[in-house]
Amino acid sequence: MKSVILVLVPVLIGIVGQILLKKGMLQIGQFGVSPGELWPILLKMITNIYVIFGMLLYAVSAFLWLIVLSRMELSFAYPLLSTGYIFILLFSWLFFKEQVSLVRWSGVGVIWLGVYLISRS
């Protein structure tokens, strides 16, 4: 159980980072990748507080993941990253009021079952 918690910490930090990134990008809006559009949007991104903190948390998550990799088998730890899909779907539904179909909920149920089985190995 301790090893599962060790994996969940960087996963949850990464999830919070993703939520902040999404919130920041909702403020910035959609954009293209043409050179004329890219630089003004890039400036908005690097000055948006949600994007800044989202990237910071994502970096912290990556650093903590390196600690996980130094302590456990990759074949055990990496599949547990799938818990991120479960939480992202739930938080997207709760915080951003995204429509989540029954098929997506079912898919997350399958992922949860897989994570449960892996955590028991």
Side-chain angles (χ1 to χ4, degrees):
M1 184 63 158
K2 184 178 175 183
S3 56
V4 172
I5 292 170
L6 184 65
V7 172
L8 287 180
V9 170
V11 169
L12 292 174
I13 291 171
I15 288 167
V16 173
Q18 285 294 323
I19 290 168
L20 291 173
L21 289 171
K22 177 63 176 177
K23 183 163 177 60
M25 293 312 296
L26 285 172
Q27 291 179 345
I28 292 168
Q30 295 182 358
F31 63 94
V33 290
S34 66
E37 289 180 90
L38 198 56
W39 293 112
I41 292 295
L42 185 59
L43 182 60
K44 286 181 182 180
M45 282 186 227
I46 63 173
T47 58
N48 183 287
I49 194 73
Y50 293 107
V51 172
I52 292 168
F53 279 113
M55 293 298 286
L56 179 65
L57 286 177
Y58 217 57
V60 168
S61 173
F63 175 75
L64 293 174
W65 182 247
L66 294 175
I67 294 171
V68 169
L69 292 178
S70 74
R71 295 177 180 207
M72 62 182 56
E73 294 177 350
L74 183 61
S75 62
F76 174 80
Y78 195 76
L80 295 180
L81 287 177
S82 299
T83 57
Y85 297 123
I86 298 167
F87 290 114
I88 284 292
L89 184 124
L90 180 63
F91 294 151
S92 297
W93 177 69
L94 288 172
F95 298 137
F96 302 119
K97 307 299 182 212
E98 293 183 5
Q99 296 297 313
V100 180
S101 69
L102 182 60
V103 172
R104 285 188 198 171
W105 287 116
S106 300
V108 162
V110 171
I111 292 169
W112 180 84
L113 178 60
V115 169
Y116 174 76
L117 292 173
I118 289 168
S119 70
R120 296 288 168 207
S121 65

